[in-house]
Amino acid sequence: MECEEKRKILINSLKYNGICDKVLDAMMRVPRHIFVPDDYQETAYMDMPLPIGHNQTISAPHMVAIMCDLLDISDGMKILEVGSGSGYNAAVMAELVGEKGHIYTVERIPELAHFAEENLKKAGYKNVTVIQDDGSCGLEEHEPYERISVTSAAPEVPRPLIDQLATEGIMVIPVGNGEQQLVVVRKDSKGNVSYEAWGGVIFVPLIGKYGY
């Protein structure tokens, strides 16, 4: 079965999670097999996380879909991602923000930052910038961000990320050690911050100054 056909079957299966069409259409345009190591090409379109080396994973497609759905991404937005991994999640968000938007994705592991950059280049994305650094500190150079997506679990929501979130912005972040919750953080027009637990998840830990 060709990759495109496998991708179509995967995306159709995600409809039952209540994901909006905009996110599903974006995921349909992203060739996930490009972002998966050679040894896992056969399972690139299965709804499961896959190892990418250095004790890190590429998230399961349903989790990427859920996080993008919760972020409510629109065309032209500027987004910060903490944890580039293989670049797949950034690619999906890049589709959602379009040519007028931009994704800044920060990865602490040099080899993975290079892997993500190469994958994104291979897939043709020009609206994503990969930075190798401690993502738990955010990225001050381009703040504020309308959306922030964190792909590893923090002990609590890092203060720098709250500070770098724009007013009327949304952040999605896994929080907790052991039992983790996916938390939706919102900042209103007056700068007040609210937190809403979406549900239980399992992510690798966020390593860094404001992580573990």
Side-chain angles (χ1 to χ4, degrees), residues 16-121:
Y16 300 105
N17 287 316
I19 306 300
C20 72
D21 288 342
K22 180 172 66 173
V23 171
L24 295 176
D25 290 345
M27 292 181 72
M28 188 63 210
R29 294 192 294 270
V30 179
R32 191 174 188 248
H33 61 279
I34 288 179
F35 298 89
V36 168
D38 291 341
D39 291 348
Y40 295 95
Q41 288 295 304
E42 288 300 312
T43 51
Y45 292 103
M46 291 184 181
D47 190 14
M48 58 192 290
L50 296 170
I52 55 174
H54 306 277
N55 296 314
Q56 304 297 302
T57 61
I58 176 174
S59 293
H62 77 270
M63 186 51 61
V64 172
I66 287 167
M67 291 180 73
C68 286
D69 204 46
L70 289 170
L71 284 166
D72 189 22
I73 298 168
S74 298
D75 190 66
M77 282 185 168
K78 180 171 61 175
I79 297 179
L80 172 65
E81 179 186 43
V82 176
S84 311
S86 69
Y88 176 70
N89 190 58
V92 174
M93 293 192 295
E95 290 284 352
L96 289 165
V97 301
E99 292 181 3
K100 294 179 181 177
H102 202 88
I103 314 298
Y104 293 95
T105 178
V106 185
E107 173 57 54
R108 72 178 176 87
I109 301 171
E111 293 85 354
L112 286 184
H114 178 72
F115 184 51
E117 195 166 36
E118 289 300 305
N119 293 338
L120 288 158
K121 190 184 299 181

Side-chain angles (χ1 to χ4, degrees), residues 38 79 98 129 142 188 195 199:
D38 291 341
I79 297 179
T129 302
H142 303 286
D188 69 17
Y195 305 84

